Amino acid sequence: MGTAATWRAATTRDRLTFLHATEIELRSVEDQFRTYAALLRGGAGLFAAHGDAVTLAEFRAYVDRIEFQSLYPGFLGIGFTPTLPAAERERFAARAEALGVPSFRVHPSTDNPLISPVLFAEPPNPRNQAAIGYDVMSDPVRRDMVERARDSGQPAASARIQLVQEIDANKQAGFLVAMPVYAGGGVPSDLAERRRRFLGFVFGAFRANDLFNSIVAARAEEDAAFAIYDGAPDEATLLHRSARATDAVAGRLTREATLKLGGRTWTVRFEQRLSPRRASALSEVWLIGGGGLLATALLGFAAFRQRRTQDEIRRLNASLEARVQDRTRDLREAADRLRQAGEERARMEEVLRQSQKMEAVGQLTGGLAHDFNNLLAAISGSLELIEARIGQGRSKDVAKYIAAAQGASKRAAALTHRLLAFSRRQTLAPRAVDVNRLVDGMLDLVQRTVGPGIDVRHAGADDLWPALVDPSQLENSLLNLCINARDAMPDGGRIVIETQNRWIDRRRAEAQDMPEGQYLSLCVSDTGAGMPPEVVARAFDPFFTTKPMGEGTGLGLSMIYGFAKQSGGQVRIASEVGSGTTVCLYLPRHRGEADGDGSVPERRPMAPAVAGETVLIVDDEPTVRMLVSDVLSELGYTAVEATDGAGGLRVLQSDARVDLLVTDVGLPGGMNGRQLADAARASRPGLKVLFITGFAETALFDNDRIEPGMAVLTKPFAVDVLAARIREMIAL
């Protein structure tokens, strides 16, 4: 009886010890994977905030700041891999060198439409440096990991692989874990949006033996040896096998469990191990069985051994709970460190953004002040000379000063239109335009502008589709691009203006951030000096210019970008240092015939008023009221003036005849022009309204559409245009 009791106690102790050891090993692997996934998620946040602008120095500083090498044993390396079209391979190599990665080369060559070359791999030891430039998409196993991470928004582990970092004879099985990075941060809610905003992934590289030896407690391996397989148990899927202690004895207990980590299923096989101190229980049993004469004493001894076994089991359980608590505390501390690092980075980013904003504002105001001072000098000087010549009776000299003042005012208007185009707040008048005909009509002007040292050519496509676009803004954009091309060729060269029909498929549309569909392209190419990648990346930035201070506001390309986006299209730059630059405008196709030739109508005689017609003018600027009132009076209209919305509303709520309301959009006193028009139409439903504004207040109109009987005229305007628009509105 004593022998049986001791045998059962020893068997129970060995079984519980074995199960306890296996649970420790399983939980250690799961907990460590969560810790490493949290670390990769923190790195993904860094690249989601800054995209491809993060430099090697910044990423290395981040890795140092989280104490990567000391706090995360078994982690061979951490890095970032962007995903981009294969056509960008050579251009991305130059971009990588600009970010601080020397001698960057994408390898190996593949026929895949997308590539994912390793850009960063830290810490900078020889193993990790061997992975720089390796195209992860070239390997089907690694590509499966990337696509699972991209589509799920969760960390994804690769199957068993041999790492690119295995550069010496001591090779181990390994695996990767990828954490997806999306533009704008966060994980998009649907699959299509996740694929569209996918930038790449932050990865962790692991050598299996080094990893599992660092995270599994040695005490647990004394009681349960284990082998981990990637999938079904097989030598080809073996990741790691415990080293057998020389004094351990194989037991009879086994266990098989699975772990689901990063989208992969790992199989873990356990085998019982009995160290000498564990195996001693068997000899005790045989001694008890052979000592029948000492049965009473052995029974007492068996009870004592049973109690000791139970105590040991309790101690093992307490040890397990303590280890779990320690691991939980470590994870919490790691999460706190990541949160603090994120908060510090956010604070530094805000300081940097504020600094960049103030620098941009300074550059903008300096350039605008320079340009407007020149224009004001021309206008004020011309007016003073007109006044002097009239006082001297020399009226024949007045005409040239009038022309100079008008020219300067038109250039000032063009500058304000640039600002509005840059902010996408300008008022556009889209028409169906034959772009080939528009370019042909501008060739002489372009040639005179760029000078005789530059050869200007037009390569127009046959059967070019019409474009739905504002022709005057398109002319301004084309002229601006040609002037930029001229400035890039101080010693002369060639400008080619090319038009083509383009079908933008879904993949290319996502790459170029535009809707798929049919477009026509207007491209301006030059043979100038070209631009390095870092300049191309900032070319459309507001206020960015490579010209000296005072020679430009940096709004030219920003204006073109704003105009293209507001027109429903896109603009893109391709450039290489020493090989010239090509800028392409993509404009939506218009399904229909083009209107006329798109030329600006000539000045026409101003039509007089019909007897008794009355126009109410509401504007807080006295000069504008005076000019509009004088034009109307000269044409025979009755002009009534008001300085604000309240004054205008009093007139409109009276019995006075008002055929047309002409009002500024921005008015003082709490009532803007749109509110005035709405209030007036409550009592005069058919009232016609012409808004005149120096700023396109699109927020006042529903989706940029205004009601029937309303129209917008942007300041500054020509007198004959104002008169014609008033006549058209009243005659409706």
Side-chain angles (χ1 to χ4, degrees):
M1 180 177 176
T3 302
T6 303
W7 177 264
R8 285 195 300 272
T11 302
T12 300
R13 181 200 65 186
D14 290 343
R15 181 172 58 82
L16 291 176
T17 300
F18 173 70
L19 292 176
H20 176 261
T22 61
E23 284 301 316
I24 287 178
E25 291 166 344
L26 289 172
R27 291 188 185 184
S28 296
V29 173
E30 289 178 325
D31 290 347
Q32 201 69 10
F33 187 88
R34 293 190 190 98
T35 300
Y36 291 160
L39 173 64
L40 295 177
R41 187 169 285 109
L46 172 67
F47 288 93
H50 297 280
D52 61 359
V54 178
T55 66
L56 174 59
E58 290 171 333
F59 182 63
R60 186 165 291 168
Y62 168 77
V63 173
D64 291 341
R65 190 161 56 246
I66 62 176
E67 302 179 54
F68 176 79
Q69 291 181 278
S70 60
L71 295 180
Y72 304 97
F75 215 135
L76 175 61
I78 182 172
F80 175 65
T81 298
T83 297
L84 59 149
E88 301 290 325
R89 175 191 297 260
E90 298 303 325
R91 188 174 300 168
F92 181 75
R95 174 67 177 159
E97 297 209 14
L99 293 174
V101 184
S103 305
F104 187 86
R105 180 180 63 87
V106 181
H107 63 89
S109 298
T110 67
D111 296 329
N112 294 325
L114 297 176
I115 60 174
S116 290
V118 177
L119 179 60
F120 303 141
E122 294 295 312
N125 54 46
R127 288 186 187 277
N128 286 324
Q129 292 301 302
I132 301 298
Y134 177 74
D135 178 15
V136 176
M137 299 294 276
S138 66
D139 172 44
V141 174
R142 292 170 171 86
R143 184 166 63 248
D144 171 71
M145 171 195 69
V146 175
E147 291 173 347
R148 282 189 291 111
R150 177 197 65 193
D151 292 350
S152 69
Q154 299 296 322
S158 74
R160 178 185 186 271
I161 58 173
Q162 181 172 299
L163 298 172
V164 180
Q165 290 93 327
E166 294 291 354
I167 58 176
D168 53 26
N170 179 26
K171 292 180 170 57
Q172 300 181 16
F175 64 95
L176 300 170
V177 176
M179 181 67 69
V181 178
Y182 302 98
V187 179
S189 57
D190 61 87
L191 177 61
E193 187 68 8
R194 286 195 289 273
R195 290 181 175 179
R196 188 182 74 82
R197 288 170 49 188
F198 182 65
L199 298 178
F201 58 92
V202 173
F203 68 86
F206 302 91
R207 304 178 84 207
N209 288 342
D210 293 347
L211 174 66
F212 294 116
N213 285 336
S214 71
I215 64 177
V216 177
R219 179 71 176 273
E221 288 193 272
E222 288 182 4
D223 301 318
F226 67 95
I228 297 184
Y229 302 87
D230 176 39
D234 187 86
E235 282 301 313
T237 61
L238 178 64
L239 289 171
H240 172 74
R241 178 178 284 117
S242 298
R244 179 178 298 179
T246 56
D247 57 352
V249 178
R252 59 186 180 81
L253 299 176
T254 61
R255 181 187 178 189
E256 185 171 295
T258 58
L259 293 171
K260 293 186 179 296
L261 302 174
R264 302 289 302 175
T265 300
W266 288 352
T267 303
V268 189
R269 282 186 170 178
F270 298 98
E271 295 180 357
Q272 186 185 28
R273 291 286 183 266
L274 298 174
S275 62
R277 60 188 176 84
R278 300 290 189 203
S280 63
L282 296 175
S283 60
E284 293 168 3
V285 173
W286 290 113
L287 287 173
I288 293 171
L293 296 177
L294 303 175
T296 302
L298 291 177
L299 283 173
F301 181 72
F304 168 74
R305 292 293 298 174
Q306 185 174 11
R307 284 195 302 271
R308 196 172 75 173
T309 299
Q310 292 171 346
D311 290 342
E312 187 170 353
I313 290 172
R314 281 194 295 270
R315 287 195 301 272
L316 288 172
N317 284 332
S319 173
L320 174 60
E321 292 175 359
R323 291 181 184 182
V324 170
Q325 290 175 356
D326 290 343
R327 179 62 64 184
T328 301
R329 185 180 62 254
D330 292 342
L331 288 172
R332 188 179 298 113
E333 291 174 353
D336 288 342
R337 285 194 297 270
L338 288 174
R339 178 182 54 77
Q340 291 170 3
E343 291 174 353
E344 176 64 17
R345 183 166 192 87
R347 187 187 65 80
M348 295 175 64
E349 288 170 356
E350 181 60 29
V351 172
L352 178 59
R353 279 194 295 270
Q354 184 65 22
S355 173
Q356 290 173 335
K357 184 188 301 182
M358 295 308 297
E359 179 183 356
V361 170
Q363 187 171 357
L364 169 67
T365 54
L368 291 178
H370 173 272
D371 289 347
F372 271 112
N373 282 337
N374 285 341
L375 296 169
L376 290 173
I379 294 171
S380 63
S382 296
L383 293 174
E384 289 176 6
L385 288 172
I386 290 171
E387 182 181 24
R389 292 296 183 267
I390 292 175
Q392 297 166 357
R394 297 165 57 186
S395 58
K396 65 178 182 179
D397 295 332
V398 168
K400 66 179 180 180
Y401 300 129
I402 293 175
Q406 289 177 332
S409 65
K410 289 177 181 178
R411 291 195 300 275
L415 182 56
T416 58
H417 280 301
R418 276 189 172 186
L419 289 166
L420 292 173
F422 144 66
S423 62
R424 304 185 212 173
R425 302 295 298 276
Q426 64 181 332
T427 301
L428 296 180
R431 296 169 47 197
V433 176
D434 183 336
V435 177
N436 275 342
R437 186 184 302 167
L438 182 145
V439 174
D440 286 337
M442 288 191 65
L443 282 180
D444 288 343
L445 173 62
V446 171
Q447 185 66 73
R448 288 196 304 271
T449 302
V450 301
I454 295 177
D455 179 24
V456 180
R457 302 181 185 179
H458 175 206
D462 296 333
D463 300 323
L464 186 69
W465 297 326
L468 188 63
V469 68
D470 186 320
S472 63
Q473 293 299 325
L474 182 58
E475 289 175 348
N476 290 338
S477 298
L478 176 59
L479 186 59
N480 210 324
L481 291 176
C482 292
I483 291 172
N484 285 350
R486 177 201 66 189
D487 294 343
M489 299 183 292
D491 299 324
R494 183 174 65 254
I495 295 176
V496 177
I497 305 171
E498 184 178 9
T499 57
Q500 285 188 350
N501 295 327
R502 296 289 183 93
W503 170 258
I504 305 299
D505 59 23
R506 182 176 181 181
R507 183 180 64 82
R508 189 172 178 188
E510 290 178 353
Q512 298 198 158
D513 188 23
M514 58 192 295
E516 63 177 311
Q518 293 179 329
Y519 296 81
L520 65 92
S521 65
L522 172 63
C523 299
V524 177
S525 303
D526 64 62
T527 57
M531 295 182 286
E534 60 271 18
V535 173
V536 173
R538 297 190 60 193
F540 294 124
D541 287 357
F543 325 129
F544 175 74
T545 178
T546 57
K547 297 177 182 178
M549 183 66 70
E551 293 188 14
T553 60
L555 286 173
L557 287 176
S558 296
M559 176 271 289
I560 295 172
Y561 181 83
F563 160 67
K565 294 294 286 185
Q566 192 177 356
S567 300
Q570 185 59 280
V571 58
R572 283 290 177 258
I573 297 179
S575 185
E576 185 175 343
V577 175
S579 300
T581 299
T582 298
V583 182
C584 287
L585 273 165
Y586 295 90
L587 303 171
R589 176 188 179 182
H590 174 69
R591 297 184 179 276
E593 297 297 324
D595 299 336
D597 60 3
S599 60
V600 178
E602 296 180 356
R603 295 176 65 93
R604 51 190 174 181
M606 295 185 288
V610 177
E613 290 178 334
T614 302
V615 177
L616 172 60
I617 308 157
V618 184
D619 199 304
D620 60 322
E621 175 56 47
T623 305
V624 174
R625 291 201 311 273
M626 177 194 72
L627 292 173
V628 175
S629 179
D630 287 354
V631 170
L632 293 174
S633 298
E634 186 175 339
L635 294 175
Y637 295 95
T638 299
V640 180
E641 299 182 25
T643 60
D644 56 25
L649 188 59
R650 283 194 295 271
V651 175
L652 291 164
Q653 290 177 341
S654 69
D655 296 331
R657 174 179 176 177
V658 177
D659 296 282
L660 174 67
L661 168 63
V662 178
T663 177
D664 194 359
V665 173
L667 294 173
M671 177 183 292
N672 61 41
R674 180 56 193 264
Q675 293 167 337
L676 170 62
D678 290 342
R681 282 195 164 190
S683 57
R684 298 176 184 247
L687 179 65
K688 296 162 185 173
V689 183
L690 175 61
F691 296 103
I692 55 174
T693 177
F695 189 81
E697 294 282 353
T698 54
L700 296 175
F701 308 121
D702 296 332
N703 299 321
D704 292 336
R705 292 189 297 270
I706 56 179
E707 299 173 8
M710 293 183 177
V712 179
L713 184 61
T714 304
K715 300 175 185 177
F717 43 75
V719 170
D720 61 328
V721 173
L722 171 65
R725 184 62 63 88
I726 289 174
R727 185 70 259 158
E728 291 169 3
M729 294 288 295
I730 293 178
L732 285 175

